[in-house]
Amino acid sequence: MIRPAAKDQRDRAARARSAGSVVVVLGVLAAAFAVTSSIVPKSTRGPAKEQPVAAPVVPAAAREVSHTVVYELLGENGARNVTYAGAGSALSQRSEVTTPWSASFSESVPAGRTPFRSIAARNPGPGELRCRIVVDDVVVAEKAVADESFVSCAV
């Protein structure tokens, strides 16, 4: 027969073993969690924190520069088939003009950009026909012919 004191001792020993097993199991679980946390990539740990987004880079607006452009035809007998590039390089034509003749317009262009400018005309008869392109009161192109041919200026 088991004595009550011995039985109590055995019960206490069994409970101590049981409590020790629980501590060991909890320790193993804690170690497994620590190892898993350091090995598993962060992307599988849940939603990623949103990174701040930098504002898009917007180029600075180009500074506009205004110019006054004048096309001139100078000669003794007028001019025929006059063709010139106007504002925005739009072509304009005149079948016949008396000289001196001029056409002028204002244009705004980005700073540093030189737009296409051109004038051409046919000299109808003996004598000189001169074309000239003037930008902001400065002659930028000039040419003359003395025979019945075409004259053109361009920049």
Side-chain angles (χ1 to χ4, degrees):
M1 176 162 198
I2 300 179
R3 296 183 11 216
K7 185 176 176 192
D8 284 340
Q9 233 177 13
R10 269 188 264 162
D11 285 341
R12 270 193 237 136
R15 274 187 288 203
R17 272 191 305 253
S18 174
S21 297
V22 168
V23 169
V24 169
V25 169
L26 289 176
V28 168
L29 288 175
F33 179 75
V35 169
T36 303
S37 294
S38 65
I39 294 175
V40 175
K42 294 181 183 209
S43 63
T44 61
R45 292 184 184 174
K49 294 179 184 176
E50 287 189 29
Q51 297 294 324
V53 177
V57 176
V58 178
R63 187 173 60 92
E64 292 278 318
V65 179
S66 294
H67 297 286
T68 300
V69 179
V70 179
Y71 293 119
E72 297 177 339
L73 290 172
L74 308 165
E76 301 167 14
N77 299 309
R80 292 187 184 144
N81 304 325
V82 178
T83 303
Y84 58 97
S89 297
L91 288 180
S92 295
Q93 293 184 315
R94 305 269 191 249
S95 60
E96 195 168 338
V97 298
T98 57
T99 51
W101 174 89
S102 68
S104 63
F105 60 92
S106 294
E107 66 182 354
S108 292
V109 296
R113 179 176 166 255
T114 302
F116 176 70
R117 298 179 181 117
S118 171
I119 183 169
R122 181 170 187 80
N123 187 0
E128 182 180 85
L129 178 62
R130 178 177 303 276
C131 65
R132 198 182 303 181
I133 300 175
V134 181
V135 178
D136 297 331
D137 298 322
V138 176
V139 175
V140 296
E142 184 171 19
K143 190 172 181 184
V145 295
D147 57 355
E148 293 183 21
S149 62
F150 276 94
V151 65
S152 66
C153 294
V155 285

